[in-house]
Each structure stands twice: as C-alpha cells, then as structure tokens.
Amino acid sequence: MAATVRQLEYLVTVVDTGSFTRAAELLHVTQPALSHQIRALERAVGGALLERLPRAVRLTPMGRAVLPHARATLADTERLHKAARCVAGLAGGELEIATVYSVSLGILPPVLRAWRRRQPGVRIRLREYAHTDELRAAMAAGRADLAIGPTPESWPGPVRDLGVEEFVVVLAADDPAALDADGTIAPAALADRAWVHFAPDNGLAELLDRVCAAAGFHPTVAVRVEQTAAAPLLAAAGLGPTLVPADIVPPGFDGVLLRPDPPVRRVLTAYTRTRPDPLTTSFADLLAEHTAGRRPQRPA
C-alpha cells in the first residue's frame, strides 16, 4: 500500500507541532484517526517513523529520512493546486523564491520591482540562506519554487545560467593601498592586513579564504560579520579590506572598490526541482532579462 498525500500531511503536522493532540486539532480530526493514519503510513514505508515520548514526539532514523521527502511532496502538491488556480483565474497565487544573502541584496531588488509591476496580484515569499549548501538543501526539500544562487553540484532538475557575479575588494577611501591602486589590486598585496571577514556559516567566508589561499596567505580576521551587507560598510570605515559581490555595494558608497587581480567571479543560476510551472517560468524569464549583460563563463 502506497503512502497518501494526506498521511504525509499528518506526519509533517505532528512533527511541526510536536504533539498528536495539537496536530489533531489543527487538522480537524480525532486523535485516534490521526494515530491510525500515522500507523498506516508506517506500514506503507516499512518501519516506525515517530517515537512517542511522555511529553513529546521524536522522529526515528527512518522518520528523519522520510520527512524531507514528505515536505517536498506536500510542496509539489500545493504548487500543482496553485498553478491550476492561476490558470483558472481564481487567484493571483504566490511564488516562493529561495536565494543566498548576496543575491537578495544585489540582483533581486530590481527584478522584484519589475515583477511587481508586471504581476501585481502575485505575492512573493523570499527565503534567504547564508550558504549555497543550505540553499540547495532547502530547494531539494521543496521549500521554494525557484532557487537563485551559485551553480548547485549534481543537481537533478533544470538549471538556467544567469551569467557571472563579479567580486570587488573594498577599502577605505584613505587607505594607502587604495591611493596607490590603478583600479585593480592583487590580494597578495593585502596579505599583512586584518580583513573584514564573514561568519563561518556564510558561504562568502569560504570564498574569501580560497581567494587568499590562492594568493599564498591565510587572512587575519579583524571582525567577522553575520550580515553580508555590513562587510563593505565596515571596510569603508577602515576596519580592513573585504571581498564582496559588486552588486551589493549601495549607491553613494564612500569606500573604494577595486577589481581583484586575477578576477574573482562565480556563475549564478536559477534552478528548480522539476519542470517549472508557467508562473515560475515567467519569473525566471524576467530574471534572465535583468542579468542578460552578464557574460556566462566559469568562475576564476
């Protein structure tokens, strides 16, 4: 007997609430009926999914393996219904976008502004992640319609190339290295500096470490930032150099931006789990329009 979507919904609700009693209330079913359906699901998958404790519910190892697939199935089902409602003209719908912090700061704002003008009845739900691995995992679990970020490794679904994201070194306006530069700078020239770095769980921390390692040094840390947008502001304030996507630097910025030599780039993509519905495709088309000037190539 195969698991049903309803049974998967019951499992997810029990896990999210941590209680059979609360889950039954939210689902508007009796607790015995809920327990019966969970047992039926466990028979279908061939093992126990939940451990019932005196005051809580805990997933078994099999439950932890099944839960992401249950969430993804429910998300796909909701998107199916949403697409049908949109085609029928019954609702404007909602589009769920997942991305990394740097993209939400730099590339997405003008795209979302244009989308708002084009599709005012469609709501956007934006999910932001610090690391590309988190973004990929969230997309694999069905938490968004479309992911925007660096090229995911071994992705089984459709991937659309959006070109490259250029990085810049940021310095204070009165920094001697900025005064002597001709628009470019070798990271090795800043090997003796303390850098404005990123929190370890931020994907830009890994990228900065790789760039410095390629230049023959490990960066000393002046400060680590949780928020990507804070890095160029602190660098401009004189705390030390940093490396950020050029797109995130705000207008009227009073620091100095220098192109690293050799250049630092990464390919950006838009990807989905399955063939995208018309609404997602429309957003991806608009995104491609706004990134058309980025010549696709491999990162440096």
Side-chain angles (χ1 to χ4, degrees):
M1 181 179 63
T4 67
V5 172
R6 189 65 171 165
Q7 289 168 349
L8 297 177
E9 181 186 11
Y10 286 177
L11 172 66
V12 169
T13 305
V14 170
V15 172
D16 289 347
T17 60
S19 162
F20 272 79
T21 301
R22 180 60 180 149
E25 292 173 355
L26 290 176
L27 294 165
H28 303 292
V29 297
T30 65
Q31 190 169 333
L34 174 61
S35 297
H36 174 77
Q37 289 299 320
I38 293 295
R39 287 194 296 271
L41 176 60
E42 290 174 329
R43 289 194 298 271
V45 300
L49 301 174
L50 297 171
E51 182 181 357
R52 296 154 178 82
L53 303 176
R55 294 183 177 271
V57 177
R58 184 168 61 190
L59 285 164
T60 66
M62 181 177 287
R64 289 193 293 273
V66 167
L67 183 64
H69 299 285
R71 292 192 189 278
T73 298
L74 293 176
D76 282 344
T77 301
E78 174 57 26
R79 278 191 284 274
L80 183 151
H81 293 156
K82 180 173 63 180
R85 290 195 299 268
C86 289
V87 172
L90 299 178
E94 181 179 79
L95 190 62
E96 296 185 75
I97 305 295
T99 190
V100 289
Y101 292 146
S102 61
V103 170
S104 67
L105 289 169
I107 293 172
L108 268 185
V111 177
L112 294 176
R113 183 170 58 247
W115 178 260
R116 179 80 175 188
R117 290 195 297 264
R118 182 179 295 188
Q119 297 280 3
V122 178
R123 299 181 303 277
I124 292 288
R125 181 171 183 179
L126 183 63
R127 300 179 184 273
E128 300 171 276
Y129 297 92
H131 198 285
T132 56
D133 289 346
E134 294 178 359
L135 173 63
R136 187 190 188 285
M139 193 62 191
R143 296 198 179 105
D145 302 301
L146 181 77
I148 307 166
T151 307
E153 293 185 8
S154 306
W155 184 253
V159 177
R160 186 168 185 169
D161 200 335
L162 300 176
V164 297
E165 186 176 41
E166 296 279 354
F167 282 75
V168 292
V169 173
V170 183
L171 295 170
D174 60 354
D175 191 297
L179 298 174
D180 295 339
D182 60 356
T184 65
I185 192 168
L190 302 170
D192 62 344
R193 301 292 192 87
W195 288 67
V196 176
H197 215 309
F198 301 92
D201 61 350
N202 189 315
L204 295 183
E206 294 179 11
L207 186 144
L208 176 55
D209 284 341
R210 287 199 304 269
V211 169
C212 293
F217 70 98
H218 183 76
T220 303
V221 177
V223 60
R224 287 189 182 271
V225 298
E226 295 284 346
Q227 299 181 24
T228 302
L233 301 178
L234 294 179
L239 273 72
T242 194
L243 182 73
V244 297
D247 291 305
I248 79 165
V249 179
F253 183 68
D254 60 1
V256 174
L257 308 182
L258 301 174
R259 297 186 305 276
D261 182 19
V264 178
R265 305 182 178 101
R266 63 181 178 182
V267 174
L268 291 180
T269 59
Y271 56 99
T272 56
R273 292 182 59 252
T274 57
R275 183 177 178 180
D277 60 50
L279 195 61
T280 304
T281 299
S282 179
F283 186 88
D285 289 343
L286 180 64
L287 183 63
E289 290 175 21
H290 279 256
T291 57
R294 300 167 181 269
R295 184 169 61 87
Q297 57 186 343
R298 301 308 299 174

